[in-house]
Amino acid sequence: GCTVWRDEESLEPGDSWRTGIEQAIERADVVVVLISEAAKASDNVGDELAYARMLRRRIVPVPLSTDKMPLILARLHWVRAKDVWRLCKTK
């Protein structure tokens, strides 16, 4: 029941990566953030989260390999990876 946007599958060679990400966040009902050590260290992930917050998108963190949530996500209710399907709207 979910339509998932991922840059690896949705962008074509030569597309603007940043523009594609911005447009995807603008169209999103929910922004699911997979939190790993690499994601926590990524300036790009931080920028994407800030943009999603600015647009008042629902953000759902999914911790993968980390025990600490980044400050920007610390107050949000999170979901385990195996339960992400619950975010999908059923018809």
Side-chain angles (χ1 to χ4, degrees):
C2 282
T3 301
V4 177
W5 188 94
R6 293 182 40 188
D7 58 346
E8 295 95 359
E9 298 168 355
S10 300
L11 295 176
E12 297 294 326
D15 285 352
S16 168
W17 177 79
R18 182 166 294 282
T19 299
I21 298 277
E22 288 174 355
Q23 291 172 346
I25 293 170
E26 290 163 4
R27 290 189 304 265
D29 294 319
V30 177
V31 176
V32 176
V33 185
L34 305 178
I35 304 298
S36 64
E37 291 302 321
K40 285 175 32 178
S42 170
D43 289 339
N44 289 327
V45 172
D47 290 348
E48 293 160 15
L49 284 170
Y51 191 60
R53 284 183 53 134
M54 183 186 76
L55 295 177
R56 301 175 113 5
R57 294 300 179 257
R58 180 176 173 203
I59 300 171
V60 178
V62 179
L64 297 177
S65 61
T66 184
D67 60 349
K68 284 169 70 175
M69 210 46 87
L71 183 59
I72 194 171
L73 300 174
R75 292 183 177 215
L76 298 178
H77 186 66
W78 53 271
V79 65
R80 294 190 190 285
K82 68 181 181 71
D83 295 323
V84 169
W85 64 271
R86 293 184 186 184
L87 300 171
C88 298
K89 296 177 183 175
T90 57
K91 296 181 180 186

